[in-house]
Amino acid sequence: MQQRYVRVLAVIGLLVCVAVVGAVGGTYLADRTASSSTDPSASSSADPTRAGTDSTPAGPVADSPEPSEPAEPSASPQKPTDRTYAIDRKVYDELSLTVTLVSAEVTDGKLRLNLRYRNDALLPWPLTCPTAEVDRTSSRIVLSDGRTVYPERSWCATTRPGESITLAPGEQSDTWADFPEVPAASSSFTLHWYDFPTLDDIRLR
């Protein structure tokens, strides 16, 4: 009888221990679940829009581009004022023989270039004017937009077409050519004067 009672007590004690362990374990798990649901770090790992996850971090939202206003049409190039522009640039300078672009005259939408030949050498300088037909294509200007303009009139074609001229030592002679187009104000143009070197970056200012 006494031995059987001891066994019953042992069984009861074992059941009590199991119940206590179960209650404690359940409480621990409940606390872990509650803490994980309120932990910000847990929600960040579940939210793919937060930085630090394997998904692309959500950066700042870009402002929507505002519609651009239509560009105003560019104004037509300004033409230089009608007057005489001093240039004074050498087209040719060899062996005391010089050709100088002295000035440019703008009148009624046309351009006249004035040039001067000077012989400071000890020997005469022989020169030749082409025929009027050849002379019209022997010189030209090239505008900044790439257009080539040939002269309408020139000193050679008007006064001495096809003739030879000798410039004595110490003498000078003036010549000119009229072009039907005027370069835009402050834009550059190039002069090709007969067989002499090209003169670049000429400006009316």
Side-chain angles (χ1 to χ4, degrees):
M1 179 78 177
Q2 183 179 6
Q3 186 176 1
R4 190 174 179 181
Y5 176 74
V6 170
R7 289 180 179 178
V8 172
L9 290 178
V11 171
I12 292 172
L14 183 59
L15 292 176
V16 170
C17 290
V18 171
V20 170
V21 171
V24 172
T27 302
Y28 175 76
L29 291 177
D31 291 342
R32 288 283 295 172
T33 302
S35 62
S36 63
S37 63
T38 58
D39 188 359
S41 61
S43 61
S44 66
S45 62
D47 186 356
T49 63
R50 294 182 178 271
T53 66
D54 293 337
S55 302
T56 304
V61 179
D63 295 333
S64 300
E66 296 182 359
S68 57
E69 296 182 0
E72 295 182 0
S74 57
S76 58
Q78 295 290 328
K79 293 295 184 181
T81 306
D82 285 9
R83 65 181 181 88
T84 299
Y85 296 81
I87 297 177
D88 195 27
R89 288 183 58 188
K90 291 287 195 307
V91 176
Y92 177 78
D93 187 359
E94 294 287 342
L95 303 175
S96 300
L97 306 175
T98 61
V99 179
T100 304
L101 176 58
V102 178
S103 62
E105 299 176 34
V106 176
T107 307
D108 296 332
K110 295 190 178 184
L111 174 71
R112 168 171 286 197
L113 297 181
N114 299 305
L115 293 99
R116 177 170 297 152
Y117 289 71
R118 182 168 181 82
N119 181 8
D120 288 320
L122 299 177
L123 299 175
W125 186 8
L127 300 167
T128 301
C129 278
T131 63
E133 183 178 358
V134 173
D135 191 75
R136 283 193 289 268
T137 59
S138 296
S139 300
R140 65 192 184 276
I141 61 173
V142 179
L143 306 181
S144 59
D145 59 9
R147 287 181 296 146
T148 298
V149 183
Y150 293 94
E152 291 181 326
R153 300 170 62 246
S154 70
W155 183 87
C156 267
T158 302
T159 62
R160 307 289 290 272
E163 295 184 15
S164 295
I165 304 167
T166 299
L167 198 62
E171 289 187 349
Q172 65 183 31
S173 177
D174 293 338
T175 184
W176 49 265
D178 291 339
F179 297 87
E181 186 73 26
V182 178
S186 298
S187 69
S188 64
F189 66 97
T190 300
L191 172 64
H192 299 265
W193 187 253
Y194 296 100
D195 294 330
F196 293 104
T198 301
L199 185 61
D200 296 317
D201 197 28
I202 309 167
R203 297 174 185 270
L204 305 181
R205 53 191 174 188

